[in-house]
Every structure is written in C-alpha cells, then in structure tokens.
Amino acid sequence: MEQSILTEIKNAAKKSLKARHNELADTHRQMDILNGDLFADGELPYFKDKIAQTGQFPLKPKKLEILQINVGYMCNQVCEHCHVDAGPDRKEIMTRETMEQCLEVIRNTGAHTLDLTGGAPEMNPDFRWFVEEASKAGIQDFIVRSNLTIILANKKYHDLPDFFKKHNVHVVSSMPHYTRNKTDKQRGDGVFDKSIQALQALNKVGYGMPDSDLRLDLVYNPSGAFLPGDQTALEHDFKKALKEDFDIDFHNLFAITNLPISRFLDYLLASDNYEDYMYSLVEAFNPSAVANVMCTNTISVSWDGWLYDCDFNQMLDLKVASKVKHIKDYNEEVLNDRNIVISQHCYGCTAGAGSSCQGTVA
Amino acid sequence: MANSYYDPADLRKFGNITEWSEELGKKFFDYYGKVFEEGALSAREKSLIALAVAHVVKCPYCIDAYTKDGLQRGITKEEMMEAVHAGAAIESGATLVHGVMMMNKYNKLSM
C-alpha cells in the first residue's frame, strides 16, 4: 500500500469510525457496500445463492454450544482491523441490570461455553462482579477475550492474571504476529512489547504452560488484505518464535479471517483492496466450513441485551430472525428454530478452512 | 487487446487455460499443486523459493501471488527480501560467470 494512504489510515485510526463520523459508522452504509455492484451485477454470487448451490440455504442453527456476551465496545486500543469499531471513545457499556438478565440465562442455558468479549471486557466497571457471579453457574468453559495490553494499561488491572486464575477463566488473546513490526502496525505502537509482558505475566501464574489446566490461547488475524494461512503451521511458527525469543508458552492458536465490515472494510476500501479481497473470500469458499460455521452453535448478546447470530451480525445490527430478540425474553428452544441472518460478509467465515471465534472449523 | 499486456485481474483467470486444452491444463495444475505440498521441503520454504524464482523470471502474476502467499503463511518481509536477493545473486552470478568466457576469448585472441 502507498505510504501516504497508510499514514492517513493510521492517523485516522486513533479514533473509532463513530467518533470520526465516518460514513461506515452507519451499518446501512456497510450493508449497501456488501450488497453493492460486485454482487448485484452478478460478478460474484450472493452468499445466499452460493450456499443454496450446496443445499445449505437457509442456514439453520444446530445445538447451542456457545453463549457469547459482548459487555461493551470501550477498549484501550484502536486496532486498524477491529470489526467492533472499539476504542476509548466508545461509551456503549453493559449495565448491571443487563448483566443480571444474562446471568439468569447463563444459569439455565444448555450451552457449555460462555465467551465474554468487547471492546476490552475488563473495562466494564462491573466486569469482575459479573465474572464472579457467572463462574458460580458451573459453565464448562468460561472464556474471556483479553487484548493483553489492558493488563498493563493501569495499576488496577495488574492483578488480572490472578483474578482470571481464581475463577478458572480460559484466556483468549489477540496476537497478530510474533514480530514487533507486524503487531504494532495493526494494533498500535508499543502493543507488541506490552503484549509480550502480559503473556509473561500470565505464564508466571501458570497460564498456557504445557500441562496446565489454565488455558491460554492466542488469536491470529492477518494484518492486511489477505487470508490466514494454515492454522497448524502458524501455531508452530508462533510457538517456536515466542518460546525462543521470549520464553512464552501458550496452548492453541486460532487463525481468524478478517471479515469485510467496520474498520477492516474501511481499510479495504481506502487501500483499494476491497474487490480483490472479496474475490479471495469467494474463491476460497468451502461448503464443509458452512456446515460448522459458528452461527450454527452460538448466540451473541450485545451490551444492550439484543441477540444476534454472531458478533459480526451484531456489529452490522442484524438482529436474530426470531420472535425472541432480547435477552430479557430469552428462550433457547424458540431461538434455535430460527433461520440465520446472512449477507456477503459471511464469506469470511467460509473461506478455506473456515473461521470462527474458536479458529478454523473445517 | 487490452491497453496493457498485463492485467492483475487476469491472474484470477489462470485456471481458464484448461478450457482450450483440458488434458494438458489439468496435468499442469495437478503437478503444480503437488509440487507445493509439504514434502522434504516445507510448504513455507517452497513459497519462498517460488517468490525468488518469480523475480528471476520477472513474472508479475507470480510476484503478486507469492507475496500474498508469503503474507498468509506469516513470512516476514525480511525473509521475502532475502529470498529475492538469493534469486538476484544467482541471476547476476549467471551473468558474471560468463565473464570467464569473455576473458578466455580475450586471452585467446590476444598476443
């Protein structure tokens, strides 16, 4: 990419699209682009038509396994690729009242995994209370998606590794690359060094060690307009480099494809990569990934309690196509009888080995 | 004919060569796919070799494809540039080693 465009995006990316009043902060504008000429003119097939070819339309949920709750869009970082458009200027934060409604669901759900995300979930003032209460529900796998740097961002967060350990939280953290240059380019200057320190702090209390039950997994997102490579090969490279250079251990690496929405969509358009990227996604379409795509086993809850098929649909404001649309009315049986809402961004989860918040799916 | 001999969009159409010669096209793509599988050399190593050769044969499509392939594999820009230099060194070496031919001829013709 040309240096001037890169600088422009980097400077702009210190604030969310919303704070910049960027047109892409409007989800309708994003949907217009995703339904735009590239697909309307028949150059590429609509996702709906593509999955219909393999008899997979309409996409229906299977058994609910994962309840993913987004506790707010506030974050200490402003990553260039963020699909949440999170940042310090985002004020959407889950209230304790909504958390209580979530807890009611957590206590009664058939899902085996609870997955807290954000923003930086730790920045929600009721985060610790919520984790303490939720951990009492005895969910098998309790994930918190931590961006790592939050642990060092302020003194009040320094004890997070111990707090996570106390509640047997499964920590899943973003790490775009094992080199400083690539990490800082995507996530901001200094993020790599802080992430390394945070990982070492997590290792110190037992997280990520080879025989430890304290799970520490990393998430890899490509830092640019290309798809992730083979997850196993990337995991091997990450493990080798982080061990040799920093004596860091972790369990698994999840390779996640960037979906063409929000800030990543902004980047694709500004860098003139949108069309090529959509081609790459469509060309890599894999029907067996469709069968296991995460919206078939996940419900995503927003900071204000609305229900979505996934975190990406949440960011596009595409609520579930069900009578039950809000956590206060939650009914798993009714919800499971819905058709999943899809659009062209869904190609991101069905490319190659597939992509989900738990990594590849095919 | 387009205004330019090379159109980036043509790379996507590479597979179309099979349409005019199915048997040979298919054999080529089967071979191509097999070559880049994990073997005694890793797929990662082969990607870097492909990038170096892409520069030596000066194929814009190949440079496009294997820069992207390298990024997908997490290959760093330092590794990519070293691969390009390896290719360039062999290519310039191949030119320079002919200097011996020139020297031999010069000496033979000179008193």
Side-chain angles (χ1 to χ4, degrees), chain A residues 22 60 70 134 143 151 156 198 206 242-243 258 278 347 356:
Chain A
N22 182 301
K60 300 284 289 184
N70 193 315
I143 296 171
I151 297 174
K156 67 180 175 181
L242 289 176
K243 187 68 186 172
N258 289 310
M278 295 312 283
Y347 277 116
S356 77

Side-chain angles (χ1 to χ4, degrees), chain A residues 15 35 71 100 111 122 134 152 194 232 272 296 299 333 361:
Chain A
K15 282 184 182 175
N35 291 319
V71 296
E100 272 164 357
E122 302 93 333
L152 299 159
K194 284 181 193 160
T232 312
D272 198 22
T296 58
I299 285 282
E333 209 180 306
V361 297

Side-chain angles (χ1 to χ4, degrees), chain A residues 293-304:
Chain A
V293 81
M294 68 175 168
C295 49
T296 58
N297 70 352
T298 304
I299 285 282
S300 157
V301 187
S302 65
W303 65 279
D304 48 357

